[in-house]
Amino acid sequence: MKKVLVLHGPNLNLLGEREPEVYGTMTLETIDARLQEGGGRLGLEVNARQSNHEGELIDALHGARAWAQGVVFNPGAYAHTSIALRDAVAAIDLPVIEVHLSNVLAREGFRRRLLIAPACAGQVTGFGWRSYLLALQALAWMLDAGEEGA
Amino acid sequence: MKKVLVLHGPNLNLLGEREPEVYGTMTLETIDARLQEGGGRLGLEVNARQSNHEGELIDALHGARAWAQGVVFNPGAYAHTSIALRDAVAAIDLPVIEVHLSNVLAREGFRRRLLIAPACAGQVTGFGWRSYLLALQALAWMLDAGEEGA
Amino acid sequence: MKKVLVLHGPNLNLLGEREPEVYGTMTLETIDARLQEGGGRLGLEVNARQSNHEGELIDALHGARAWAQGVVFNPGAYAHTSIALRDAVAAIDLPVIEVHLSNVLAREGFRRRLLIAPACAGQVTGFGWRSYLLALQALAWMLDAGEEGA
Amino acid sequence: MKKVLVLHGPNLNLLGEREPEVYGTMTLETIDARLQEGGGRLGLEVNARQSNHEGELIDALHGARAWAQGVVFNPGAYAHTSIALRDAVAAIDLPVIEVHLSNVLAREGFRRRLLIAPACAGQVTGFGWRSYLLALQALAWMLDAGEEGA
Amino acid sequence: MKKVLVLHGPNLNLLGEREPEVYGTMTLETIDARLQEGGGRLGLEVNARQSNHEGELIDALHGARAWAQGVVFNPGAYAHTSIALRDAVAAIDLPVIEVHLSNVLAREGFRRRLLIAPACAGQVTGFGWRSYLLALQALAWMLDAGEEGA
Amino acid sequence: MKKVLVLHGPNLNLLGEREPEVYGTMTLETIDARLQEGGGRLGLEVNARQSNHEGELIDALHGARAWAQGVVFNPGAYAHTSIALRDAVAAIDLPVIEVHLSNVLAREGFRRRLLIAPACAGQVTGFGWRSYLLALQALAWMLDAGEEGA
Amino acid sequence: MKKVLVLHGPNLNLLGEREPEVYGTMTLETIDARLQEGGGRLGLEVNARQSNHEGELIDALHGARAWAQGVVFNPGAYAHTSIALRDAVAAIDLPVIEVHLSNVLAREGFRRRLLIAPACAGQVTGFGWRSYLLALQALAWMLDAGEEGA
Amino acid sequence: MKKVLVLHGPNLNLLGEREPEVYGTMTLETIDARLQEGGGRLGLEVNARQSNHEGELIDALHGARAWAQGVVFNPGAYAHTSIALRDAVAAIDLPVIEVHLSNVLAREGFRRRLLIAPACAGQVTGFGWRSYLLALQALAWMLDAGEEGA
Amino acid sequence: MKKVLVLHGPNLNLLGEREPEVYGTMTLETIDARLQEGGGRLGLEVNARQSNHEGELIDALHGARAWAQGVVFNPGAYAHTSIALRDAVAAIDLPVIEVHLSNVLAREGFRRRLLIAPACAGQVTGFGWRSYLLALQALAWMLDAGEEGA
Amino acid sequence: MKKVLVLHGPNLNLLGEREPEVYGTMTLETIDARLQEGGGRLGLEVNARQSNHEGELIDALHGARAWAQGVVFNPGAYAHTSIALRDAVAAIDLPVIEVHLSNVLAREGFRRRLLIAPACAGQVTGFGWRSYLLALQALAWMLDAGEEGA
Amino acid sequence: MKKVLVLHGPNLNLLGEREPEVYGTMTLETIDARLQEGGGRLGLEVNARQSNHEGELIDALHGARAWAQGVVFNPGAYAHTSIALRDAVAAIDLPVIEVHLSNVLAREGFRRRLLIAPACAGQVTGFGWRSYLLALQALAWMLDAGEEGA
Amino acid sequence: MKKVLVLHGPNLNLLGEREPEVYGTMTLETIDARLQEGGGRLGLEVNARQSNHEGELIDALHGARAWAQGVVFNPGAYAHTSIALRDAVAAIDLPVIEVHLSNVLAREGFRRRLLIAPACAGQVTGFGWRSYLLALQALAWMLDAGEEGA
């Protein structure tokens, strides 16, 4: 079974408690449980991690080289400001898929700059916790020997 | 069975013939066939349409109000220049999901401006023809009465 | 009796159905009927045309040279993106008045760029369907030998 | 009979004397007389005021709350620089229509920034002194109980 | 007892009448009375002045050199456009504290440019009429021989 | 004999009628006749097409893959706004030369952005209808086995 | 007694040692002692915390939800770069007041961008350590049932 | 003898008192006396006026049409913000020369935008009160029938 | 026989030696010989000159007024930075055609600013040494009494 | 007698021949003669120099350190592009006054950037050849022990 | 023997493993060993530290005040985004030299903004691990009493 | 012994005389002597050249192809404006290292644009004349067969 790091960035630990009309009422624990379940159905063993620290997120991406075959990454607000995370994604040899719960392109202007995105394989944005699930599906396809590539 | 418009924008009729190292070797016909098949498995009847004409794409979106429950839309290069398409997406009362074959955020600077995106429900970007398939999955979930919303 | 082209741009065919709280509940057919009636009172024969296609709008402006003495033009979203329509307005020898239903200057930043406006005689903006009626009045004055010009 | 403030901004006192090929040969007195006459036909009592002082224009807008039902306002060059006038327009509970004699969007780049416009109900631009007359007509309609709104 | 000019800029004369949900229901007279009372408790004699005229505000700042030891200044919208007021603040040898009722940085983009601020000693922003009271407190400390400076 | 598509963009159908002091007095028909004649002398069979529709221009470029060996393209105002046409030029495997009648770089600022140009082989700009003739000459050289390349 | 988190951002641990001509000679310990004393007089129990780590500041803001009624926050240089801290401020349900020791608007251009400010209740800037004291006063008023709101 | 308006803008009434190391120790009265004397030597009757009010400066420029043959104008900070003054300069039929005491181009970035300058005949900048004297000399030459123009 | 200056700007002396995959293997001497030959066939006597010095290029343009009827000018990198050369082109009364070997619009962003171009008659870009030959052809047509102008 | 370098930048050698309606009909020789004469009346020995070469202008400024007491400098188009000349002006210990024949601020946008100006003592702009004469006057005053400085 | 902190920023722990064609095949351990050796030859005791955490880098800079005489700092991607690190460099009283392995100015546009650089003594960029060695040499010179300063 | 061109750009001939507090008191001759001595110790024969002329600097770079193995280049102010020098550096097949005496990134904003830098191998900035010495060391390493590349 292939192993996947699901990495949650800053403020996502508050999910379910913070602005539920925007982010839904599910907590991060519930989401992680659903992703483990859904990942399992796709043949993926999901290990989830959350941190509010840019440096810990870099460390986690580096660490994934040792045990994971792919990463699903919600960088939260660091998506708009962190070149260090972009370099970390580019430096590891794993496919990384960026996800966002809400449609960030429909929000404030400064959220339209997505600095990490060019180093990722792709993005899934705007579908709540199911953004992660779709990214796991995409990752599962990528990790299989694709019959005709992208 | 719910009906979905899959709408392909400019130059996508050349798929499989144009820069296969970037866009893959599958033709648009093959992709549409797979989407019909994949959509069927999700309980969706997929009707696909391609046009190089901004006006025809607007007409198609308007027309979908009469027969479809949702739209998967790859606006191609119009994603970066068309406010008229953005208004069309906002004007119809259907969920619209934007897809792109390649990771447009990793390409030229002018492709980082996504004008239609704020009017869509979400985006799936960078997974080749499977971007459409993931969008169909997202649409299927949306069209079901979601147990906890986004 | 002088002839006038009333030209409606993209998405205006949805009037009365789309966001009635913003655009009112009158359909385009009703508006056109009122403009024909109102135009008649001003000595103007009104012929109305709508298209979502930038190219058809250019064609309609070109065609008006053969039969009309003036144009009232709501370019919709093309107001913000089309240099080709600006050139078409500049190329024909007819007075063209730009109208908008809503106060576009009070909306998103990208709607503040009005590319066609410099080639028009003037603008009437923000008065709903009556923007057209005021523009017809202005056109009627222009087409009369004005006693003291602008 | 409803009362309307017609408010003229900086340099408009020179009308008829300054660059007549651009602004026409009518003086501000003549224009005001015509607006009183034209307003009368629309059931509006027109009181006109001109000032070159930003502060006096603000005072006049504030004062109108006590006696007028609407305002027709040509802010002249303050249209491009005054946030204080914008706030004044927003602060009073009267419909304000912005007018310009010439098509300001066809002039220098710095005239394309219209700071007061978003706080107004609409604009009439480019029809010489008749811009005011059209604005009076629009105001008359607004002050009547409109049968179908904007 | 030290004397302080409290200077209110454009549109602040409408306080209590204008958008009470944003600016509260207290009138400027009430606020001034409270500031005189509160200032008195801090050993400050408060003289308040309001004007909608940029020139009168400059004059008032100049005039304060003759009788006041400090200024609390709410420049209103001139905060974003007036270099002349900035120069006036820099030209007089009195400490000037800028206040705003609302959190201007949370409003439209053009309100984020604070031209006068660099010439002031500091800012107090977002606490309604109590912004002035806090500024009076700050001024009282400044006018005392501070034991350890800033 | 090699075949060449000469493709004229928006508003060029008005040539000879529109602003003759800028664009000359020759009609598009006369120009096309001269290009056929001049192309013949260079061993090129010229087929000319004009459209005001961005989508039809894309279709024409796509279609040229089936019968032409090269393209001379005057995109008119779409040169400044169309990424879709740029993608179409890049997608077909034919050399495309961009031409303009007037020196577009000497006109309004927005005409200095040439979006399609990077996808073309080169540009010929500013020589009236003879811009096309020079482009045909360049194309003839390109289509011959060049003795020393570019 | 209400509890307040006073949160100091990067480099503030050096206070009293670093550039005393700019930041004064008081150490952070002395300031915190004075704030505890001054807070006590206002009925507030002050708990102070300093960190150079963006992530720890986020954690501290999250943690305050469990025990504090309000926050006084000096984000230091993160004020200009951290969207993650802005989101943290917006995510917790406590009033947060931003303070700065120096008048940041009078310094380098890049310090004029205040990213966290829109999510705060207000700002107090430029009064040295007394900026905190004024913010505590503002917070005390906010936490009391204000008789007329902001 | 020809008559000249010397017009001083905002804050210039403080000359001699404000930042003497920058602006010198001469008061405006002394400067005006010297300009009257120096103007007299050039055959010019100098009438000087100062105001901090943008509107009064506009009024003064308008008024000069009735009695003066030329204007020497130091717009102070309004040089950088006032389009209304620019229009006033353009509207009157008198030569206007812009002067500044200090080299404004060597100061803050926002002082490099000179909005009124394009409407003036020329500028003299950086020579203290003698900037006015040089401008009077230039005006004297202009008002004579120049033997060889510019 | 008409005389033409062919003027080569900086770094063009390295042609044939520098990056031959970009600029071809022909030396400048060979190109000049071919241009003399090709010019001769067009009735033009070609005199070529190369310099890396902006000043010498200006001198050469000035000097051409004495002996040449037209200029073909490859300004190299000065195309993007030299207003002095633009003024020189505008100052002489000869038609000047700008050429570039490579398609400069397809290269780095700073090469998209073409400062000299607005002062030239037109441009030929992207056809290697044959860009010059096409420009000579264009110049030959211009120097003949054109039967129908541009 | 004090010595002054009058330094003319690029294209000024063409004066009297180039666009006389803009720059007048006087040649540079005539102007230099008049400046020598006018300088003499001011107690200044004028030595004039012209060059189209940026490097020679730098050399001339450096050289002036050995023999001149001041410089009047018309940098022509280099005013807008040369930081090297700015550094040369800053590096020598002589007062340098910048002059321009025409009002450069009233011309193209790129002429509004004056890079050398901040290093100069002041500017005289827009008075034709008499700009130099006024600058000589200013220089004469500066070189005298000014009774009250700038 | 003088002590030096060599501080490595984010992602540098991957050296030798990540993109060896760009960053070489040496690991950070090997580099640190060589720097200790090379530093020793220069009379410097080198202590190296790496962290992916912005906060830890700030802490390390602060800490160096207690034991080091200078710092060689490769801030990695934080060079482009961290004002907090810039403030930390400015706050400590040690010379800090910025180094980069690759020529960051030749990479993506966002790497051209170097926020920390103005607070450093200088930069050494583009020489791989030897950038550090050169910086150590520079530091050794600085820490010696330089005979003629910079 | 390998040969190296040390090339000094504009205004560097004034070293030791110009602003010694910024640039030190050593003349260029002394520096060149020290570089010859220091270069000799590294096995490099140093030939130094200075010019204020952009064209001569280009010529010198071209000429170095014939006799040198590397270049140390201080482009002075041309670093910020010259694309022609950038192209010259890119066109020759020699390693070029850019040096600056002062930390240019800590100075005016326009000095932060380094146009030549992307074409160089690396930069050494801010160490006075020793910047050159460090660059010579780097060049010596590069010219040796490096044991492990960058």
Side-chain angles (χ1 to χ4, degrees), chain D residues 29-49:
Chain D
E29 289 69 30
T30 315
I31 289 175
D32 284 344
R34 295 206 180 184
L35 295 180
Q36 275 158 344
E37 186 188 50
R41 279 195 300 267
L42 295 160
L44 300 174
E45 184 186 318
V46 168
N47 289 278
R49 174 88 192 281

mmCIF file of all heavy atoms in Angstrom, chain D residues 29-49:
data_model
loop_
_atom_site.group_PDB
_atom_site.id
_atom_site.type_symbol
_atom_site.label_atom_id
_atom_site.label_comp_id
_atom_site.label_asym_id
_atom_site.label_seq_id
_atom_site.Cartn_x
_atom_site.Cartn_y
_atom_site.Cartn_z
ATOM 1 N N GLU D 29 -24.525 81.086 -16.774
ATOM 2 C CA GLU D 29 -25.823 81.705 -16.482
ATOM 3 C C GLU D 29 -26.885 81.208 -17.465
ATOM 4 O O GLU D 29 -28.000 80.839 -17.071
ATOM 5 C CB GLU D 29 -25.716 83.235 -16.565
ATOM 6 C CG GLU D 29 -24.939 83.840 -15.425
ATOM 7 C CD GLU D 29 -23.454 83.496 -15.474
ATOM 8 O OE1 GLU D 29 -22.924 83.311 -16.595
ATOM 9 O OE2 GLU D 29 -22.824 83.364 -14.403
ATOM 10 N N THR D 30 -26.521 81.208 -18.736
ATOM 11 C CA THR D 30 -27.470 80.723 -19.738
ATOM 12 C C THR D 30 -27.842 79.270 -19.477
ATOM 13 O O THR D 30 -29.010 78.868 -19.565
ATOM 14 C CB THR D 30 -26.844 80.845 -21.142
ATOM 15 O OG1 THR D 30 -26.234 82.125 -21.249
ATOM 16 C CG2 THR D 30 -27.885 80.648 -22.220
ATOM 17 N N ILE D 31 -26.824 78.476 -19.171
ATOM 18 C CA ILE D 31 -27.100 77.061 -18.910
ATOM 19 C C ILE D 31 -28.043 76.922 -17.724
ATOM 20 O O ILE D 31 -29.043 76.195 -17.788
ATOM 21 C CB ILE D 31 -25.776 76.298 -18.640
ATOM 22 C CG1 ILE D 31 -24.979 76.182 -19.942
ATOM 23 C CG2 ILE D 31 -26.053 74.918 -18.055
ATOM 24 C CD1 ILE D 31 -23.609 75.563 -19.776
ATOM 25 N N ASP D 32 -27.756 77.640 -16.644
ATOM 26 C CA ASP D 32 -28.617 77.538 -15.466
ATOM 27 C C ASP D 32 -30.051 77.945 -15.797
ATOM 28 O O ASP D 32 -31.009 77.315 -15.332
ATOM 29 C CB ASP D 32 -28.048 78.397 -14.322
ATOM 30 C CG ASP D 32 -26.847 77.717 -13.668
ATOM 31 O OD1 ASP D 32 -26.650 76.502 -13.875
ATOM 32 O OD2 ASP D 32 -26.100 78.402 -12.945
ATOM 33 N N ALA D 33 -30.176 78.971 -16.609
ATOM 34 C CA ALA D 33 -31.526 79.401 -17.009
ATOM 35 C C ALA D 33 -32.243 78.282 -17.761
ATOM 36 O O ALA D 33 -33.405 77.962 -17.515
ATOM 37 C CB ALA D 33 -31.431 80.668 -17.868
ATOM 38 N N ARG D 34 -31.515 77.671 -18.696
ATOM 39 C CA ARG D 34 -32.130 76.581 -19.457
ATOM 40 C C ARG D 34 -32.482 75.393 -18.564
ATOM 41 O O ARG D 34 -33.465 74.705 -18.800
ATOM 42 C CB ARG D 34 -31.176 76.123 -20.546
ATOM 43 C CG ARG D 34 -30.940 77.212 -21.576
ATOM 44 C CD ARG D 34 -30.555 76.629 -22.877
ATOM 45 N NE ARG D 34 -30.343 77.707 -23.855
ATOM 46 C CZ ARG D 34 -30.064 77.514 -25.117
ATOM 47 N NH1 ARG D 34 -29.979 76.278 -25.585
ATOM 48 N NH2 ARG D 34 -29.882 78.526 -25.936
ATOM 49 N N LEU D 35 -31.645 75.148 -17.576
ATOM 50 C CA LEU D 35 -31.924 74.011 -16.694
ATOM 51 C C LEU D 35 -33.130 74.306 -15.820
ATOM 52 O O LEU D 35 -33.944 73.419 -15.543
ATOM 53 C CB LEU D 35 -30.699 73.691 -15.824
ATOM 54 C CG LEU D 35 -29.471 73.199 -16.587
ATOM 55 C CD1 LEU D 35 -28.331 72.922 -15.618
ATOM 56 C CD2 LEU D 35 -29.791 71.947 -17.401
ATOM 57 N N GLN D 36 -33.275 75.564 -15.400
ATOM 58 C CA GLN D 36 -34.465 75.916 -14.625
ATOM 59 C C GLN D 36 -35.728 75.728 -15.458
ATOM 60 O O GLN D 36 -36.713 75.145 -15.012
ATOM 61 C CB GLN D 36 -34.354 77.356 -14.117
ATOM 62 C CG GLN D 36 -33.569 77.416 -12.801
ATOM 63 C CD GLN D 36 -32.987 78.764 -12.517
ATOM 64 O OE1 GLN D 36 -32.898 79.603 -13.417
ATOM 65 N NE2 GLN D 36 -32.569 78.986 -11.275
ATOM 66 N N GLU D 37 -35.630 76.197 -16.695
ATOM 67 C CA GLU D 37 -36.746 76.039 -17.627
ATOM 68 C C GLU D 37 -37.040 74.550 -17.893
ATOM 69 O O GLU D 37 -38.165 74.072 -17.724
ATOM 70 C CB GLU D 37 -36.350 76.747 -18.930
ATOM 71 C CG GLU D 37 -37.430 76.826 -19.973
ATOM 72 C CD GLU D 37 -36.832 77.367 -21.284
ATOM 73 O OE1 GLU D 37 -35.776 76.842 -21.729
ATOM 74 O OE2 GLU D 37 -37.405 78.298 -21.862
ATOM 75 N N GLY D 38 -35.965 73.812 -18.279
ATOM 76 C CA GLY D 38 -36.127 72.381 -18.579
ATOM 77 C C GLY D 38 -36.570 71.604 -17.359
ATOM 78 O O GLY D 38 -37.400 70.693 -17.437
ATOM 79 N N GLY D 39 -36.017 71.938 -16.198
ATOM 80 C CA GLY D 39 -36.406 71.275 -14.964
ATOM 81 C C GLY D 39 -37.873 71.521 -14.673
ATOM 82 O O GLY D 39 -38.611 70.615 -14.273
ATOM 83 N N GLY D 40 -38.281 72.744 -14.890
ATOM 84 C CA GLY D 40 -39.675 73.086 -14.663
ATOM 85 C C GLY D 40 -40.606 72.184 -15.463
ATOM 86 O O GLY D 40 -41.627 71.706 -14.958
ATOM 87 N N ARG D 41 -40.244 71.958 -16.717
ATOM 88 C CA ARG D 41 -41.073 71.074 -17.554
ATOM 89 C C ARG D 41 -41.145 69.665 -16.988
ATOM 90 O O ARG D 41 -42.073 68.917 -17.260
ATOM 91 C CB ARG D 41 -40.502 71.020 -18.972
ATOM 92 C CG ARG D 41 -40.897 72.213 -19.835
ATOM 93 C CD ARG D 41 -40.623 71.951 -21.312
ATOM 94 N NE ARG D 41 -39.227 71.688 -21.579
ATOM 95 C CZ ARG D 41 -38.320 72.597 -21.927
ATOM 96 N NH1 ARG D 41 -38.690 73.866 -22.086
ATOM 97 N NH2 ARG D 41 -37.085 72.262 -22.140
ATOM 98 N N LEU D 42 -40.109 69.275 -16.198
ATOM 99 C CA LEU D 42 -40.082 67.934 -15.601
ATOM 100 C C LEU D 42 -40.643 67.926 -14.183
ATOM 101 O O LEU D 42 -40.592 66.918 -13.477
ATOM 102 C CB LEU D 42 -38.636 67.415 -15.547
ATOM 103 C CG LEU D 42 -37.946 67.178 -16.892
ATOM 104 C CD1 LEU D 42 -36.432 67.148 -16.723
ATOM 105 C CD2 LEU D 42 -38.438 65.870 -17.503
ATOM 106 N N GLY D 43 -41.165 69.083 -13.729
ATOM 107 C CA GLY D 43 -41.701 69.146 -12.382
ATOM 108 C C GLY D 43 -40.641 69.336 -11.316
ATOM 109 O O GLY D 43 -40.833 68.968 -10.158
ATOM 110 N N LEU D 44 -39.499 69.882 -11.711
ATOM 111 C CA LEU D 44 -38.393 70.058 -10.767
ATOM 112 C C LEU D 44 -38.045 71.536 -10.639
ATOM 113 O O LEU D 44 -37.906 72.243 -11.636
ATOM 114 C CB LEU D 44 -37.152 69.314 -11.269
ATOM 115 C CG LEU D 44 -37.283 67.811 -11.471
ATOM 116 C CD1 LEU D 44 -36.012 67.259 -12.103
ATOM 117 C CD2 LEU D 44 -37.574 67.098 -10.155
ATOM 118 N N GLU D 45 -37.891 71.983 -9.398
ATOM 119 C CA GLU D 45 -37.405 73.336 -9.178
ATOM 120 C C GLU D 45 -35.884 73.283 -9.020
ATOM 121 O O GLU D 45 -35.377 72.675 -8.082
ATOM 122 C CB GLU D 45 -38.043 73.913 -7.912
ATOM 123 C CG GLU D 45 -37.652 75.350 -7.676
ATOM 124 C CD GLU D 45 -38.183 75.853 -6.336
ATOM 125 O OE1 GLU D 45 -39.354 75.549 -5.995
ATOM 126 O OE2 GLU D 45 -37.401 76.501 -5.617
ATOM 127 N N VAL D 46 -35.200 73.912 -9.959
ATOM 128 C CA VAL D 46 -33.743 73.798 -10.004
ATOM 129 C C VAL D 46 -33.087 74.988 -9.309
ATOM 130 O O VAL D 46 -33.386 76.142 -9.626
ATOM 131 C CB VAL D 46 -33.267 73.721 -11.472
ATOM 132 C CG1 VAL D 46 -31.753 73.911 -11.555
ATOM 133 C CG2 VAL D 46 -33.690 72.414 -12.102
ATOM 134 N N ASN D 47 -32.211 74.708 -8.350
ATOM 135 C CA ASN D 47 -31.373 75.742 -7.749
ATOM 136 C C ASN D 47 -29.928 75.424 -8.058
ATOM 137 O O ASN D 47 -29.438 74.357 -7.673
ATOM 138 C CB ASN D 47 -31.566 75.781 -6.234
ATOM 139 C CG ASN D 47 -32.929 76.343 -5.879
ATOM 140 O OD1 ASN D 47 -33.116 77.548 -5.842
ATOM 141 N ND2 ASN D 47 -33.894 75.434 -5.661
ATOM 142 N N ALA D 48 -29.243 76.346 -8.727
ATOM 143 C CA ALA D 48 -27.878 76.075 -9.167
ATOM 144 C C ALA D 48 -26.886 76.818 -8.295
ATOM 145 O O ALA D 48 -27.154 77.898 -7.782
ATOM 146 C CB ALA D 48 -27.706 76.473 -10.621
ATOM 147 N N ARG D 49 -25.707 76.198 -8.170
ATOM 148 C CA ARG D 49 -24.639 76.763 -7.353
ATOM 149 C C ARG D 49 -23.310 76.383 -7.985
ATOM 150 O O ARG D 49 -23.150 75.254 -8.445
ATOM 151 C CB ARG D 49 -24.757 76.154 -5.937
ATOM 152 C CG ARG D 49 -23.666 76.491 -4.990
ATOM 153 C CD ARG D 49 -23.988 77.790 -4.250
ATOM 154 N NE ARG D 49 -22.800 78.242 -3.547
ATOM 155 C CZ ARG D 49 -22.376 77.751 -2.392
ATOM 156 N NH1 ARG D 49 -23.085 76.839 -1.771
ATOM 157 N NH2 ARG D 49 -21.261 78.204 -1.852
#
